[in-house]
Amino acid sequence: MSASHIPEDVHDRCAHCVGRRLSVCSSIDDCDLAILANESSRMTVADGRSFIEEGAPANDFFVVTGGRVKLFTLLPDGRRQITGFAEGGDFLGLAASTSYAFGAEALGGATLCRFPHAGMQRLTERFPSLEHRLREEASRELALMQARMTLLGRKTARERVATFLIERCQHLEKPDLSHPVELDLPMPRTDIADYLGLTIETVSRILSAFKKEKLISIRSITHITLLMPERISTIAEGME
Amino acid sequence: MSASHIPEDVHDRCAHCVGRRLSVCSSIDDCDLAILANESSRMTVADGRSFIEEGAPANDFFVVTGGRVKLFTLLPDGRRQITGFAEGGDFLGLAASTSYAFGAEALGGATLCRFPHAGMQRLTERFPSLEHRLREEASRELALMQARMTLLGRKTARERVATFLIERCQHLEKPDLSHPVELDLPMPRTDIADYLGLTIETVSRILSAFKKEKLISIRSITHITLLMPERISTIAEGME
DNA sequence: CCATCACCTTGACCTGAATCAAGTCTGGTA
DNA sequence: TACCAGACTTGATTCAGGTCAAGGTGATGG
């Protein structure tokens, strides 16, 4: 598909994409959107389907344009560490030299925009600010991972679950911990456990404990209200 | 200090630096070394002295030109997670947006080359390949962290210590696991423990166990020989 | 040559989270 | 309305690794 055939459509595809607002694509001017669109292609991934294989040759970058995905690494015996959840606007594929350092699969269905490395290179040559934006993105990710290593290496189970809840808050449009917060947890407990380096039973127990302590209320499995967000934040920092 | 005053010295400073061979500085041509030198300054840090404060405004990048440093994050009550060790040629400071996401201190004395962000920006504008090199560096680091999260979240103490030993091997000039390997562990047990998310006692016990199993021999506290590197590597991957 | 101090090792015991094992809840089907 | 399957919760028990408490070791200085 070449930009010269259907320039309007192609332009629009990028113009109305969440990546345009949130992701690396924001470093491209409006008038150059067709070039951007021409180097990328859309794809959808069904719930639970994998689209990045850990260790496979890294040929593409991805922008999540809809839905959610989980990123993970595996040990040979099947133990799994989820290294992150990504949603609309998030950029994937920087954690790779020649091969991907992580696997990725859709969490309840996702749409993605795929940028082959070759095309991305053409884009960075043409738009140097894009390369800078990619570095910024990598830096942001590195800073997040720094905190996550502290979580996995040094926090208690209680602190980990509290941190997870606070992290979810900060993904909302208007994070505000001074009032109760309604949260949607679209991932199953298994994923939360593998993200926090715990077992599903421990996650469940601690959520129940938080409920008993009136820190949260559990409206349904996926729908939780933080009744005392600031107290949970205190627990998350290990200061309770 | 301006390059025009003592161009020869300044040029030489970069020409003979390990960063020139190993680090981001390799993306600059010989003839432009004076420009590079002019944007950077040397510094030495004594054993145990801190030179990056977690949360402080991030104003500089650093290249380790000699010795070693440790990078870490802290919890309010003093729990510490060492997120990495850096040595000659390693680049520091990418894991930061406006403020550093980690602290850093010298491990037995270190020399560094400091690049203020403003100067680095002048360099990346003049040498676009440097910006690309920085992104590569960030990607390499991200891939490493991915593996480290799996270690902290999912590996047993035995697997962690084995992984640490294998990692140290891979820092040698000629990594080769088919024969016994002599290793130097310049960091105290406390640092190894904080790197692996364990206690000093557990690290000590597991090294003793490895010794009893004839997997390693402990010649002195800092000097260890891996007698069966491949078996240790197998343990590290969780496949024993 | 001994004292000191910091760091490391070892042992005994404890505990937080894992494991093992029932339940329970929910949404989908008939 | 009852049944079923999959996901979650809860309880009982175990165990890996932490904590507490002695020792050991080796580099430095008197």
Side-chain angles (χ1 to χ4, degrees), chain B residues 6-67:
Chain B
I6 42 170
E8 278 313 304
D9 285 357
V10 159
H11 175 282
D12 282 5
R13 197 185 74 198
C14 286
H16 302 126
C17 171
V18 284
R20 180 75 185 127
R21 273 190 298 114
L22 300 173
S23 191
V24 296
C25 311
S26 61
S27 55
I28 307 271
D29 281 337
D30 277 328
C31 53
D32 295 322
L33 279 191
I35 301 170
L36 181 67
N38 200 39
E39 296 291 7
S40 64
S41 59
R42 285 275 172 129
M43 56 188 279
T44 67
V45 185
D47 186 18
R49 294 304 290 272
S50 165
F51 62 96
I52 294 177
E53 207 72 41
E54 182 181 352
N59 297 320
D60 303 291
F61 296 108
F62 298 90
V63 172
V64 180
T65 53

Short mmCIF file of all heavy atoms in Angstrom, two decimals, chain B residues 6-67:
data_model
loop_
_atom_site.label_atom_id
_atom_site.label_comp_id
_atom_site.label_asym_id
_atom_site.label_seq_id
_atom_site.Cartn_x
_atom_site.Cartn_y
_atom_site.Cartn_z
N ILE B 6 44.36 24.29 24.58
CA ILE B 6 45.28 23.14 24.59
C ILE B 6 44.69 21.98 23.80
O ILE B 6 44.41 20.92 24.34
CB ILE B 6 45.55 22.70 26.05
CG1 ILE B 6 44.23 22.72 26.87
CG2 ILE B 6 46.61 23.55 26.69
CD1 ILE B 6 44.35 22.09 28.23
N PRO B 7 44.51 22.24 22.50
CA PRO B 7 43.81 21.25 21.68
C PRO B 7 44.46 19.86 21.73
O PRO B 7 43.76 18.87 21.78
CB PRO B 7 43.88 21.84 20.28
CG PRO B 7 44.92 22.89 20.31
CD PRO B 7 44.97 23.38 21.71
N GLU B 8 45.75 19.80 21.74
CA GLU B 8 46.42 18.50 21.71
C GLU B 8 46.05 17.66 22.93
O GLU B 8 45.65 16.53 22.83
CB GLU B 8 47.94 18.67 21.60
CG GLU B 8 48.41 18.90 20.18
CD GLU B 8 47.79 17.93 19.17
OE1 GLU B 8 47.93 16.71 19.37
OE2 GLU B 8 47.15 18.39 18.20
N ASP B 9 46.22 18.27 24.10
CA ASP B 9 45.90 17.56 25.34
C ASP B 9 44.46 17.09 25.35
O ASP B 9 44.16 15.96 25.69
CB ASP B 9 46.13 18.47 26.55
CG ASP B 9 47.62 18.63 26.81
OD1 ASP B 9 48.40 17.99 26.08
OD2 ASP B 9 47.96 19.39 27.73
N VAL B 10 43.60 18.00 24.97
CA VAL B 10 42.18 17.71 25.02
C VAL B 10 41.86 16.56 24.08
O VAL B 10 41.12 15.63 24.42
CB VAL B 10 41.37 18.98 24.68
CG1 VAL B 10 39.98 18.61 24.22
CG2 VAL B 10 41.33 19.88 25.89
N HIS B 11 42.41 16.62 22.90
CA HIS B 11 42.20 15.55 21.94
C HIS B 11 42.70 14.23 22.53
O HIS B 11 42.00 13.22 22.51
CB HIS B 11 42.95 15.87 20.64
CG HIS B 11 42.89 14.75 19.65
ND1 HIS B 11 43.67 13.62 19.76
CD2 HIS B 11 42.12 14.58 18.56
CE1 HIS B 11 43.38 12.81 18.76
NE2 HIS B 11 42.45 13.37 18.01
N ASP B 12 43.90 14.26 23.08
CA ASP B 12 44.48 13.04 23.63
C ASP B 12 43.63 12.47 24.76
O ASP B 12 43.50 11.26 24.89
CB ASP B 12 45.89 13.31 24.15
CG ASP B 12 46.88 13.38 22.98
OD1 ASP B 12 46.41 13.31 21.83
OD2 ASP B 12 48.09 13.51 23.25
N ARG B 13 43.07 13.36 25.57
CA ARG B 13 42.29 12.89 26.69
C ARG B 13 41.20 11.93 26.20
O ARG B 13 41.00 10.87 26.78
CB ARG B 13 41.64 14.07 27.42
CG ARG B 13 41.16 13.71 28.80
CD ARG B 13 40.43 14.86 29.41
NE ARG B 13 39.12 15.01 28.81
CZ ARG B 13 38.39 16.10 28.89
NH1 ARG B 13 38.87 17.18 29.52
NH2 ARG B 13 37.21 16.17 28.35
N CYS B 14 40.53 12.31 25.13
CA CYS B 14 39.49 11.43 24.61
C CYS B 14 40.08 10.26 23.83
O CYS B 14 39.57 9.14 23.88
CB CYS B 14 38.53 12.21 23.70
SG CYS B 14 37.42 13.29 24.63
N ALA B 15 41.16 10.53 23.10
CA ALA B 15 41.71 9.50 22.21
C ALA B 15 42.13 8.25 22.99
O ALA B 15 42.02 7.13 22.49
CB ALA B 15 42.89 10.06 21.42
N HIS B 16 42.60 8.45 24.21
CA HIS B 16 43.12 7.30 24.97
C HIS B 16 42.16 6.81 26.05
O HIS B 16 42.55 6.02 26.90
CB HIS B 16 44.46 7.68 25.58
CG HIS B 16 45.47 8.09 24.56
ND1 HIS B 16 46.16 9.28 24.60
CD2 HIS B 16 45.87 7.47 23.43
CE1 HIS B 16 46.95 9.38 23.55
NE2 HIS B 16 46.80 8.29 22.81
N CYS B 17 40.94 7.28 25.99
CA CYS B 17 39.97 6.94 27.02
C CYS B 17 39.28 5.62 26.67
O CYS B 17 39.07 5.31 25.50
CB CYS B 17 38.93 8.08 27.10
SG CYS B 17 37.51 7.73 28.14
N VAL B 18 38.94 4.83 27.70
CA VAL B 18 38.22 3.59 27.41
C VAL B 18 36.87 3.86 26.76
O VAL B 18 36.37 3.07 25.98
CB VAL B 18 37.96 2.72 28.68
CG1 VAL B 18 39.20 2.00 29.11
CG2 VAL B 18 37.38 3.56 29.80
N GLY B 19 36.29 4.99 27.12
CA GLY B 19 35.00 5.36 26.53
C GLY B 19 35.10 5.48 25.02
O GLY B 19 34.15 5.17 24.29
N ARG B 20 36.25 5.88 24.58
CA ARG B 20 36.49 6.02 23.13
C ARG B 20 36.30 4.68 22.42
O ARG B 20 35.76 4.60 21.33
CB ARG B 20 37.91 6.54 22.93
CG ARG B 20 38.31 6.74 21.49
CD ARG B 20 37.66 7.97 20.93
NE ARG B 20 37.94 8.10 19.51
CZ ARG B 20 37.01 8.26 18.59
NH1 ARG B 20 35.75 8.33 18.96
NH2 ARG B 20 37.32 8.40 17.34
N ARG B 21 36.78 3.62 23.05
CA ARG B 21 36.66 2.29 22.45
C ARG B 21 35.27 1.71 22.68
O ARG B 21 34.68 1.11 21.82
CB ARG B 21 37.70 1.34 23.07
CG ARG B 21 39.06 1.35 22.40
CD ARG B 21 39.92 0.21 22.93
NE ARG B 21 40.18 0.32 24.35
CZ ARG B 21 39.73 -0.53 25.27
NH1 ARG B 21 38.98 -1.55 24.92
NH2 ARG B 21 40.01 -0.35 26.55
N LEU B 22 34.77 1.91 23.93
CA LEU B 22 33.65 1.10 24.37
C LEU B 22 32.32 1.82 24.39
O LEU B 22 31.28 1.20 24.28
CB LEU B 22 33.93 0.59 25.79
CG LEU B 22 35.18 -0.27 25.95
CD1 LEU B 22 35.43 -0.55 27.41
CD2 LEU B 22 35.01 -1.56 25.16
N SER B 23 32.36 3.10 24.54
CA SER B 23 31.12 3.77 24.89
C SER B 23 30.59 4.63 23.73
O SER B 23 31.01 4.51 22.59
CB SER B 23 31.34 4.62 26.13
OG SER B 23 30.11 5.08 26.63
N VAL B 24 29.66 5.45 24.09
CA VAL B 24 28.99 6.28 23.10
C VAL B 24 29.95 7.17 22.32
O VAL B 24 29.66 7.58 21.20
CB VAL B 24 27.91 7.16 23.77
CG1 VAL B 24 26.82 6.28 24.37
CG2 VAL B 24 28.51 8.04 24.81
N CYS B 25 31.10 7.46 22.91
CA CYS B 25 32.06 8.34 22.26
C CYS B 25 32.60 7.74 20.97
O CYS B 25 33.18 8.43 20.13
CB CYS B 25 33.23 8.64 23.19
SG CYS B 25 32.69 9.14 24.83
N SER B 26 32.40 6.44 20.77
CA SER B 26 32.92 5.80 19.57
C SER B 26 32.19 6.26 18.32
O SER B 26 32.63 5.99 17.21
CB SER B 26 32.81 4.28 19.70
OG SER B 26 31.46 3.92 19.85
N SER B 27 31.07 6.97 18.50
CA SER B 27 30.35 7.41 17.31
C SER B 27 30.82 8.78 16.81
O SER B 27 30.21 9.36 15.93
CB SER B 27 28.84 7.44 17.59
OG SER B 27 28.55 8.22 18.71
N ILE B 28 31.91 9.27 17.38
CA ILE B 28 32.48 10.56 16.95
C ILE B 28 33.79 10.28 16.20
O ILE B 28 34.58 9.44 16.63
CB ILE B 28 32.79 11.45 18.17
CG1 ILE B 28 31.56 11.58 19.07
CG2 ILE B 28 33.36 12.79 17.75
CD1 ILE B 28 30.64 12.69 18.76
N ASP B 29 34.02 10.99 15.09
CA ASP B 29 35.25 10.79 14.33
C ASP B 29 36.45 11.35 15.07
O ASP B 29 36.34 12.30 15.84
CB ASP B 29 35.15 11.48 12.95
CG ASP B 29 34.33 10.64 11.99
OD1 ASP B 29 34.24 9.41 12.21
OD2 ASP B 29 33.78 11.22 11.02
N ASP B 30 37.63 10.78 14.76
CA ASP B 30 38.87 11.23 15.39
C ASP B 30 39.04 12.74 15.30
O ASP B 30 39.40 13.40 16.27
CB ASP B 30 40.08 10.57 14.71
CG ASP B 30 40.32 9.18 15.28
OD1 ASP B 30 40.04 8.99 16.48
OD2 ASP B 30 40.78 8.30 14.54
N CYS B 31 38.76 13.27 14.10
CA CYS B 31 39.03 14.68 13.87
C CYS B 31 38.15 15.60 14.72
O CYS B 31 38.45 16.78 14.87
CB CYS B 31 38.89 15.02 12.39
SG CYS B 31 37.30 14.50 11.73
N ASP B 32 37.08 15.04 15.25
CA ASP B 32 36.15 15.86 16.03
C ASP B 32 36.32 15.67 17.54
O ASP B 32 35.51 16.15 18.33
CB ASP B 32 34.71 15.54 15.64
CG ASP B 32 34.41 15.91 14.21
OD1 ASP B 32 34.92 16.98 13.77
OD2 ASP B 32 33.69 15.16 13.53
N LEU B 33 37.38 14.97 17.93
CA LEU B 33 37.52 14.64 19.35
C LEU B 33 37.64 15.87 20.24
O LEU B 33 37.21 15.86 21.39
CB LEU B 33 38.73 13.73 19.56
CG LEU B 33 38.49 12.24 19.27
CD1 LEU B 33 39.65 11.42 19.76
CD2 LEU B 33 37.20 11.77 19.91
N ALA B 34 38.22 16.94 19.70
CA ALA B 34 38.37 18.15 20.51
C ALA B 34 37.00 18.70 20.90
O ALA B 34 36.80 19.18 22.02
CB ALA B 34 39.18 19.19 19.76
N ILE B 35 36.07 18.61 19.97
CA ILE B 35 34.70 19.08 20.26
C ILE B 35 34.10 18.25 21.39
O ILE B 35 33.51 18.77 22.33
CB ILE B 35 33.82 18.97 18.98
CG1 ILE B 35 34.43 19.80 17.86
CG2 ILE B 35 32.40 19.41 19.28
CD1 ILE B 35 33.78 19.57 16.51
N LEU B 36 34.30 16.94 21.28
CA LEU B 36 33.81 16.04 22.31
C LEU B 36 34.43 16.39 23.66
O LEU B 36 33.73 16.53 24.68
CB LEU B 36 34.15 14.60 21.93
CG LEU B 36 33.67 13.50 22.87
CD1 LEU B 36 32.16 13.41 22.88
CD2 LEU B 36 34.29 12.16 22.48
N ALA B 37 35.75 16.53 23.66
CA ALA B 37 36.47 16.79 24.90
C ALA B 37 36.00 18.10 25.52
O ALA B 37 35.93 18.24 26.74
CB ALA B 37 37.97 16.83 24.64
N ASN B 38 35.66 19.04 24.65
CA ASN B 38 35.31 20.36 25.12
C ASN B 38 33.95 20.39 25.83
O ASN B 38 33.66 21.29 26.58
CB ASN B 38 35.29 21.32 23.92
CG ASN B 38 35.42 22.75 24.37
OD1 ASN B 38 36.19 23.03 25.29
ND2 ASN B 38 34.66 23.63 23.74
N GLU B 39 33.12 19.39 25.54
CA GLU B 39 31.81 19.35 26.17
C GLU B 39 31.81 18.49 27.43
O GLU B 39 30.77 18.28 28.04
CB GLU B 39 30.77 18.79 25.19
CG GLU B 39 30.53 19.65 23.96
CD GLU B 39 29.81 20.97 24.29
OE1 GLU B 39 29.61 21.29 25.48
OE2 GLU B 39 29.47 21.69 23.33
N SER B 40 32.95 17.96 27.78
CA SER B 40 33.00 17.01 28.90
C SER B 40 34.07 17.41 29.90
O SER B 40 34.95 18.20 29.59
CB SER B 40 33.28 15.61 28.38
OG SER B 40 34.57 15.57 27.78
N SER B 41 33.96 16.88 31.10
CA SER B 41 35.00 17.13 32.09
C SER B 41 35.25 15.88 32.91
O SER B 41 34.35 15.08 33.14
CB SER B 41 34.58 18.29 33.00
OG SER B 41 33.37 17.98 33.65
N ARG B 42 36.49 15.74 33.31
CA ARG B 42 36.89 14.57 34.09
C ARG B 42 36.60 14.77 35.56
O ARG B 42 36.68 15.89 36.06
CB ARG B 42 38.40 14.35 33.95
CG ARG B 42 38.81 13.77 32.62
CD ARG B 42 38.68 12.28 32.71
NE ARG B 42 38.87 11.69 31.40
CZ ARG B 42 39.73 10.70 31.18
NH1 ARG B 42 40.48 10.25 32.17
NH2 ARG B 42 39.83 10.18 29.98
N MET B 43 36.32 13.68 36.26
CA MET B 43 36.21 13.78 37.70
C MET B 43 36.59 12.44 38.33
O MET B 43 36.47 11.39 37.69
CB MET B 43 34.80 14.18 38.12
CG MET B 43 33.70 13.27 37.62
SD MET B 43 32.03 13.90 37.95
CE MET B 43 31.80 13.41 39.64
N THR B 44 37.05 12.47 39.54
CA THR B 44 37.34 11.23 40.25
C THR B 44 36.46 11.19 41.49
O THR B 44 36.14 12.22 42.08
CB THR B 44 38.82 11.12 40.67
OG1 THR B 44 39.07 12.12 41.66
CG2 THR B 44 39.74 11.34 39.49
N VAL B 45 36.05 10.00 41.85
CA VAL B 45 35.18 9.81 43.01
C VAL B 45 35.83 8.77 43.92
O VAL B 45 36.21 7.69 43.47
CB VAL B 45 33.78 9.33 42.58
CG1 VAL B 45 32.85 9.27 43.78
CG2 VAL B 45 33.21 10.23 41.50
N ALA B 46 35.98 9.13 45.19
CA ALA B 46 36.63 8.22 46.13
C ALA B 46 35.69 7.10 46.54
O ALA B 46 34.47 7.22 46.45
CB ALA B 46 37.09 9.00 47.37
N ASP B 47 36.28 6.02 46.99
CA ASP B 47 35.55 4.83 47.42
C ASP B 47 34.37 5.19 48.32
O ASP B 47 34.52 5.89 49.31
CB ASP B 47 36.52 3.91 48.18
CG ASP B 47 35.87 2.58 48.53
OD1 ASP B 47 34.85 2.24 47.91
OD2 ASP B 47 36.41 1.88 49.40
N GLY B 48 33.20 4.72 47.93
CA GLY B 48 32.02 4.91 48.77
C GLY B 48 31.37 6.27 48.65
O GLY B 48 30.30 6.48 49.23
N ARG B 49 31.98 7.18 47.88
CA ARG B 49 31.38 8.50 47.74
C ARG B 49 30.28 8.47 46.68
O ARG B 49 30.43 7.86 45.62
CB ARG B 49 32.44 9.55 47.36
CG ARG B 49 33.46 9.78 48.43
CD ARG B 49 32.79 10.18 49.75
NE ARG B 49 32.22 11.52 49.69
CZ ARG B 49 32.91 12.62 49.99
NH1 ARG B 49 34.17 12.53 50.39
NH2 ARG B 49 32.32 13.79 49.92
N SER B 50 29.22 9.18 46.98
CA SER B 50 28.08 9.23 46.08
C SER B 50 28.25 10.38 45.10
O SER B 50 28.70 11.46 45.47
CB SER B 50 26.82 9.42 46.92
OG SER B 50 25.74 9.82 46.12
N PHE B 51 27.90 10.18 43.85
CA PHE B 51 27.98 11.28 42.88
C PHE B 51 26.68 11.47 42.11
O PHE B 51 26.54 12.43 41.35
CB PHE B 51 29.16 11.08 41.93
CG PHE B 51 29.07 9.85 41.08
CD1 PHE B 51 28.55 9.90 39.80
CD2 PHE B 51 29.50 8.63 41.58
CE1 PHE B 51 28.47 8.76 39.02
CE2 PHE B 51 29.41 7.47 40.82
CZ PHE B 51 28.90 7.54 39.53
N ILE B 52 25.71 10.57 42.27
CA ILE B 52 24.36 10.83 41.78
C ILE B 52 23.40 10.56 42.93
O ILE B 52 23.46 9.51 43.56
CB ILE B 52 23.98 9.93 40.58
CG1 ILE B 52 24.85 10.25 39.36
CG2 ILE B 52 22.51 10.09 40.21
CD1 ILE B 52 24.57 9.35 38.16
N GLU B 53 22.54 11.52 43.19
CA GLU B 53 21.56 11.42 44.26
C GLU B 53 20.22 11.06 43.64
O GLU B 53 19.74 11.77 42.75
CB GLU B 53 21.47 12.78 44.96
CG GLU B 53 21.04 12.73 46.40
CD GLU B 53 22.14 12.15 47.29
OE1 GLU B 53 23.34 12.49 47.08
OE2 GLU B 53 21.80 11.36 48.18
N GLU B 54 19.62 9.97 44.09
CA GLU B 54 18.31 9.57 43.56
C GLU B 54 17.31 10.70 43.76
O GLU B 54 17.19 11.25 44.85
CB GLU B 54 17.83 8.30 44.28
CG GLU B 54 16.49 7.78 43.78
CD GLU B 54 16.04 6.53 44.54
OE1 GLU B 54 16.83 6.00 45.34
OE2 GLU B 54 14.90 6.10 44.31
N GLY B 55 16.61 11.06 42.70
CA GLY B 55 15.60 12.09 42.78
C GLY B 55 16.12 13.50 42.55
O GLY B 55 15.34 14.43 42.37
N ALA B 56 17.44 13.67 42.53
CA ALA B 56 18.01 14.99 42.26
C ALA B 56 17.80 15.36 40.79
O ALA B 56 17.65 14.47 39.95
CB ALA B 56 19.50 15.00 42.60
N PRO B 57 17.77 16.66 40.47
CA PRO B 57 17.61 17.06 39.06
C PRO B 57 18.71 16.42 38.21
O PRO B 57 19.88 16.45 38.59
CB PRO B 57 17.78 18.58 39.10
CG PRO B 57 17.69 18.99 40.52
CD PRO B 57 17.90 17.80 41.38
N ALA B 58 18.31 15.84 37.11
CA ALA B 58 19.29 15.15 36.24
C ALA B 58 19.91 16.16 35.29
O ALA B 58 19.28 16.59 34.32
CB ALA B 58 18.59 14.02 35.48
N ASN B 59 21.13 16.55 35.59
CA ASN B 59 21.80 17.55 34.76
C ASN B 59 22.93 17.00 33.91
O ASN B 59 23.39 17.66 33.00
CB ASN B 59 22.36 18.67 35.65
CG ASN B 59 21.27 19.40 36.39
OD1 ASN B 59 20.21 19.65 35.83
ND2 ASN B 59 21.51 19.70 37.66
N ASP B 60 23.40 15.81 34.23
CA ASP B 60 24.58 15.29 33.54
C ASP B 60 24.42 13.84 33.12
O ASP B 60 23.68 13.07 33.75
CB ASP B 60 25.80 15.35 34.47
CG ASP B 60 26.08 16.76 34.97
OD1 ASP B 60 26.49 17.58 34.15
OD2 ASP B 60 25.86 17.02 36.17
N PHE B 61 25.13 13.48 32.08
CA PHE B 61 25.41 12.08 31.78
C PHE B 61 26.83 11.79 32.24
O PHE B 61 27.64 12.71 32.39
CB PHE B 61 25.28 11.82 30.27
CG PHE B 61 23.90 12.02 29.74
CD1 PHE B 61 23.58 13.11 28.95
CD2 PHE B 61 22.90 11.09 30.03
CE1 PHE B 61 22.30 13.28 28.46
CE2 PHE B 61 21.61 11.26 29.54
CZ PHE B 61 21.31 12.35 28.75
N PHE B 62 27.13 10.52 32.41
CA PHE B 62 28.48 10.13 32.81
C PHE B 62 28.95 8.93 32.00
O PHE B 62 28.16 8.06 31.64
CB PHE B 62 28.52 9.74 34.30
CG PHE B 62 28.15 10.85 35.24
CD1 PHE B 62 26.83 11.04 35.62
CD2 PHE B 62 29.13 11.71 35.74
CE1 PHE B 62 26.48 12.06 36.50
CE2 PHE B 62 28.78 12.73 36.62
CZ PHE B 62 27.46 12.91 37.00
N VAL B 63 30.25 8.91 31.73
CA VAL B 63 30.88 7.70 31.23
C VAL B 63 31.88 7.26 32.29
O VAL B 63 32.68 8.08 32.77
CB VAL B 63 31.60 7.94 29.89
CG1 VAL B 63 32.41 6.71 29.49
CG2 VAL B 63 30.60 8.28 28.80
N VAL B 64 31.81 6.01 32.69
CA VAL B 64 32.80 5.49 33.63
C VAL B 64 34.10 5.25 32.86
O VAL B 64 34.10 4.50 31.88
CB VAL B 64 32.33 4.18 34.27
CG1 VAL B 64 33.38 3.66 35.25
CG2 VAL B 64 30.99 4.37 34.97
N THR B 65 35.16 5.92 33.27
CA THR B 65 36.43 5.77 32.54
C THR B 65 37.42 4.92 33.31
O THR B 65 38.44 4.49 32.77
CB THR B 65 37.05 7.14 32.25
OG1 THR B 65 37.15 7.87 33.49
CG2 THR B 65 36.18 7.93 31.29
N GLY B 66 37.14 4.65 34.57
CA GLY B 66 38.03 3.80 35.35
C GLY B 66 37.38 3.42 36.66
O GLY B 66 36.50 4.11 37.14
N GLY B 67 37.76 2.26 37.21
CA GLY B 67 37.17 1.81 38.46
C GLY B 67 35.76 1.30 38.25
O GLY B 67 35.38 0.95 37.13
#
